[in-house]
Amino acid sequence: MEELTLTTPALLFSAISLIMLAYTNRFLAYAAIIRNLSDKYLKNHDASVLRQIKNLKLRIRLTRYMQIAGITSLLFCVLTMFLIYIHYHIIAVWAFGLGLILLILSLLFLIWEIQISAKSLQHHLGDIENHLKK
């Protein structure tokens, strides 16, 4: 294996930063939707709105896990750079590996969340189709 240098973990900074920006945007969008659905539910007590809120609750939790894993991955990249700087190369390799695993975990949470989002949209489209058939 080639030696780990400062530039290797630094390459992940821009990727992780962009991913975190996307995660934050998702979180903010979900928060706005939940606020609107909450107001809608308080007015109508509609069961479908309650199901949507429950679905969004899971998606918010997954987004939080994505963010935590992504931020921790970035933290391990910074730790890796510090360990390389102070010449603790073996520990740096392990820290970098852990950071990569956390990034993979974050992306797996994203895939799970996207599957839930797609299923939710399919239900909405089905509701619209049923309404149009009436």
Side-chain angles (χ1 to χ4, degrees):
M1 182 175 124
E2 292 183 29
E3 188 173 325
L4 188 64
T5 65
L6 283 172
T7 56
T8 307
L11 291 172
L12 289 180
F13 271 71
S14 59
I16 295 172
S17 297
L18 287 174
I19 288 171
M20 293 309 300
L21 181 61
Y23 292 172
T24 300
N25 288 340
R26 286 179 99 79
F27 186 86
L28 293 174
Y30 292 152
I33 292 168
I34 288 171
R35 285 185 189 97
N36 290 336
L37 287 175
S38 176
D39 291 342
K40 192 175 180 181
Y41 178 75
L42 291 175
K43 290 178 186 174
N44 298 337
H45 296 290
D46 187 4
S48 70
V49 172
L50 199 55
R51 282 192 309 272
Q52 291 175 33
I53 290 172
K54 186 177 178 181
N55 177 282
L56 284 166
K57 187 177 175 182
L58 174 60
R59 289 163 63 186
I60 283 277
R61 188 177 318 120
L62 288 173
T63 302
R64 185 177 61 220
Y65 295 154
M66 292 171 354
Q67 289 175 317
I68 290 169
I71 290 167
T72 308
S73 174
L74 183 62
L75 178 66
F76 273 97
C77 284
V78 172
L79 178 63
T80 299
M81 293 173 72
F82 178 71
L83 291 169
I84 291 169
Y85 178 73
I86 61 171
H87 302 290
Y88 280 59
H89 293 286
I90 305 238
I91 300 171
V93 168
W94 283 99
F96 185 65
L98 188 56
L100 289 176
I101 290 169
L102 287 165
L103 184 56
I104 290 168
L105 182 64
S106 176
L107 294 172
L108 289 172
F109 281 129
L110 177 61
I111 290 170
W112 185 7
E113 194 278 329
I114 287 171
Q115 293 298 323
I116 294 169
S117 297
K119 198 177 293 186
S120 177
L121 290 174
Q122 287 173 349
H123 287 300
H124 284 294
L125 290 173
D127 291 344
I128 293 170
E129 287 173 348
N130 289 337
H131 182 72
L132 290 175
K133 289 178 183 177
K134 292 181 182 181

